[in-house]
Amino acid sequence: MRYALFSGCTIPNRFPGVEYATREILGERYLGAELLDVKEFTCCPALPTFYSSDRFTWLTVAARNLTVVQDLGADLVTICNGCFSSLLKASEELQNVLKCNMVNNVLADIGRQYRGRLVRTEGHRNFYEPVRVRHIIEVLYNDFGRKRIEALVRNPMRGVRAAVHYGCHYLRPTIRTTIDDPANPVMLDELVEATGAESVRYPEKLACCGAGGGVRLQVPRLANAITKDKLDSMLAAGAECIVTGCPYCLFQFDHAQRELRISSLPVLHISELLALAFGIDPDRLGFEWHFVTVRPFLKRLYPSVVEG
Amino acid sequence: MEDSVLTGQEHDPDFVSQIIRYGGHDVQTCLQCGNCTGVCPVSLKTPYKTRNLIKLCQYGYKKIFFSIPWICAGCHRCYEHCPADIDPAEVFVAIRHIQVRERGVPRWIRDNVGLILRNGFGAVPSDDIRRYRERQGLEPLPNTLPGYRTALEELATIFRRTGFDRILGLEEKK
């Protein structure tokens, strides 16, 4: 399987360990997928900045990113809910011929044209389909499946109680995104359980982390207040760690816990959790950039591997 | 917000059509059931209730929105629960479009877009992170590569063509 990895801004610049973990688990040593490195991507672009101030600019910049992958014959894989939602929304809006033409009118100035991915040719006619934008959780679940992931686990996480946080843009709005059941999502839970850990039930599971839409940037106290409700609910369910598919939620949980000083649950991206379970050396996963220390958690899991 | 008395003076009859023009839904179909407020993380913590805000849109109280911070988290839970098929999150996006054009753009957006114009992304790595990436054999970040300049020029061209730099007031600064 071929994928073009869209790593976005937060992961490579703030949590590079997540990018390393994703490349390792998808790469030839574990799941055996082919990852293409595309170096012409720009910002996805971010929804709170671009989508809120000018929809057309947002669509054009997103279309530019899609033109970069349309000829590679690969699905675009995102590891961030923000990139996923922005690019997926764009890929779907570009199916509207009028909008697509308006965008192409601007893209012509930079020598690009959005057509989509070529699926087949009949005589002189070419048939295209929209560029497929995918999320790492759904790729792991649909393309590889729970069984293959279970078979790769070397360090089972038996007895670990994990609170799963999907993140809003993985699930909603459902008019565009129906990869998982928005009222009762299962994919991330099953991936977590494939490692041997237990996914705890808690009432605030589908709630927002509090950081989205620029709330974190503008009113950090409000963002933390929203996060606190969620954390309380996780703690009451007896969670020992948080697992999410979005680096911005990760950032918010990490930051809020340090500021609120109510708990210190380690926050892991699903790629990091799988990398740990597959037996990748925890010292190489860049946990030093998490604000809440992951050390005690790792030490309990792998007493022989982690020192100090 | 709930305590303040509204007078007819701030009323703008064009507000709803303006919202629709900027891609928001027709807020006139709102039934005032309040499902949106019940699931909104921001309504839970602030005096700004989604249902009331939609009512204010229907009445055309545009001015009030200019004094409310941009705090919709964009989680779209309101949309999932709306029986009238309104997406309040999209309505607030439309209101932000109006605000940007009539009252100027918030500073953090201008800073963020400036960063994206210079680097292609809204974040830059620290030296530590750069060293870690090299050590782990990760791909160099695109914005550290010499050839990436073309991508940045393309972005600048798009902003000029769509009028985004004018909307943000980026061109005056140069």
Side-chain angles (χ1 to χ4, degrees):
Chain A
M1 265 166 269
R2 277 156 76 88
Y3 300 110
L5 188 69
F6 189 94
S7 35
C9 63
T10 310
I11 284 179
N13 295 305
R14 286 204 177 121
F15 301 110
V18 178
E19 188 184 337
Y20 174 72
T22 311
R23 285 177 190 275
E24 281 292 298
I25 59 170
L26 284 180
E28 54 195 23
R29 275 186 63 201
Y30 296 96
L31 290 166
E34 188 188 347
L35 281 183
L36 305 173
D37 284 303
V38 185
K39 298 203 177 72
E40 296 144 70
F41 285 136
T42 59
C43 180
C44 52
L47 290 171
T49 1
F50 286 78
Y51 192 65
S52 292
S53 42
D54 191 48
R55 282 178 211 258
F56 184 61
T57 308
W58 158 77
L59 188 60
T60 315
V61 175
R64 186 197 159 276
N65 281 330
L66 295 176
T67 59
V68 172
V69 286
Q70 67 186 1
D71 297 326
L72 299 176
D75 291 357
L76 185 72
V77 175
T78 57
I79 35 182
C80 164
N81 286 6
C83 305
F84 172 67
S85 141
S86 177
L87 291 166
L88 180 76
K89 213 182 247 201
S91 167
E92 288 180 355
E93 283 203 15
L94 287 166
Q95 292 177 45
N96 177 326
V97 178
L98 192 69
K99 276 186 190 166
C100 189
N101 283 346
M102 277 164 74
V103 164
N104 276 338
N105 206 356
V106 176
L107 290 182
D109 273 22
I110 55 171
R112 291 182 184 273
Q113 191 198 7
Y114 178 77
R115 292 181 310 272
R117 185 170 154 187
L118 183 69
V119 272
R120 65 176 200 281
T121 310
E122 280 172 22
H124 299 295
R125 298 178 77 184
N126 291 331
F127 291 85
Y128 298 96
E129 66 172 19
V131 173
R132 253 184 261 151
V133 179
R134 311 190 52 189
H135 193 286
I136 182 78
I137 296 176
E138 173 247 345
V139 166
L140 288 169
Y141 186 85
N142 288 331
D143 291 9
F144 300 100
R146 186 175 169 164
K147 284 235 170 66
R148 266 184 82 180
I149 288 167
E150 262 168 8
L152 285 167
V153 172
R154 294 280 165 278
N155 292 325
M157 306 235 165
R158 247 169 243 125
V160 173
R161 293 169 66 79
V164 161
H165 173 76
Y166 282 84
C168 299
H169 296 119
Y170 174 77
L171 302 167
R172 296 184 288 266
T174 50
I175 193 169
R176 308 186 183 89
T177 321
T178 41
I179 48 173
D180 206 340
D181 182 353
N184 184 23
V186 292
M187 290 182 183
L188 187 53
D189 293 80
E190 291 213 12
L191 291 178
V192 166
E193 277 163 7
T195 66
E198 181 197 347
S199 160
V200 297
R201 290 167 69 93
Y202 65 102
E204 298 282 326
K205 191 167 173 181
L206 301 181
C208 172
C209 69
V215 175
R216 162 102 219 152
L217 279 165
Q218 297 168 82
V219 206
R221 278 182 57 199
L222 171 63
N224 286 352
I226 297 170
T227 315
K228 185 174 178 297
D229 281 2
K230 195 137 185 163
L231 286 170
D232 286 343
S233 171
M234 287 170 173
L235 290 168
E240 295 167 87
C241 67
I242 304 172
V243 182
T244 176
C246 174
Y248 209 57
C249 302
L250 196 163
F251 180 80
Q252 172 62 12
F253 281 123
D254 244 5
H255 240 18
Q257 288 194 86
R258 199 173 61 167
E259 283 161 15
L260 295 166
R261 295 166 195 274
I262 50 164
S263 58
S264 50
L265 298 175
V267 195
L268 301 173
H269 192 277
I270 181 65
S271 299
E272 291 175 318
L273 186 85
L274 289 181
L276 286 174
F278 288 180
I280 294 172
D281 181 2
D283 286 336
R284 304 193 67 185
L285 289 172
F287 284 123
E288 57 265 44
W289 288 292
H290 287 232
F291 304 109
V292 176
T293 175
V294 188
R295 289 264 142 196
F297 175 72
L298 292 178
K299 221 173 151 184
R300 215 201 81 199
L301 273 178
Y302 314 118
S304 57
V305 185
V306 183
E307 302 149 17
Chain B
M1 191 185 76
E2 282 166 331
D3 305 333
S4 54
V5 178
L6 300 169
T7 59
Q9 283 160 6
E10 299 111 89
H11 175 77
D12 181 345
D14 288 337
F15 194 36
V16 172
S17 52
Q18 227 178 346
I19 288 173
I20 296 170
R21 195 179 330 135
Y22 286 114
H25 291 234
D26 185 359
V27 293
Q28 300 286 24
T29 54
C30 171
L31 307 162
Q32 291 286 299
C33 71
N35 272 356
C36 49
T37 313
V39 292
C40 174
V42 176
S43 292
L44 205 68
K45 299 281 171 201
T46 64
Y48 311 115
K49 313 295 180 198
T50 317
R51 177 172 74 126
N52 296 2
L53 295 176
I54 298 290
K55 194 75 203 168
L56 289 173
C57 292
Q58 294 184 342
Y59 284 157
Y61 285 102
K62 179 154 112 187
K63 241 170 133 186
I64 279 179
F65 286 95
F66 296 155
S67 61
I68 297 176
W70 290 29
I71 48 174
C72 168
C75 75
H76 292 277
R77 266 194 121 178
C78 43
Y79 171 68
E80 296 298 320
H81 292 262
C82 180
D85 205 30
I86 298 175
D87 190 343
E90 291 285 329
V91 171
F92 298 133
V93 166
I95 293 173
R96 289 174 183 187
H97 276 63
I98 300 167
Q99 187 168 357
V100 163
R101 280 155 185 80
E102 296 183 3
R103 294 292 165 103
V105 76
R107 181 133 178 234
W108 63 271
I109 290 197
R110 196 179 298 161
D111 292 350
N112 192 266
V113 173
L115 207 59
I116 289 169
L117 265 178
R118 282 193 302 278
N119 297 297
F121 288 94
V124 226
S126 66
D127 289 343
D128 276 355
I129 286 181
R130 225 174 273 222
R131 274 194 293 272
Y132 168 86
R133 294 184 65 89
E134 272 171 35
R135 210 165 53 231
Q136 300 298 331
L138 288 175
E139 285 288 314
L141 291 168
N143 48 3
T144 59
L145 302 170
Y148 196 64
R149 276 226 319 280
T150 336
L152 296 180
E153 282 161 16
E154 289 183 11
L155 265 192
T157 311
I158 290 176
F159 289 180
R160 216 169 29 246
R161 276 291 315 272
T162 59
F164 196 53
D165 50 1
R166 202 184 55 246
I167 294 166
L168 292 193
L170 287 173
E171 49 182 15
E172 305 151 19
K173 274 180 145 182
K174 277 176 203 159

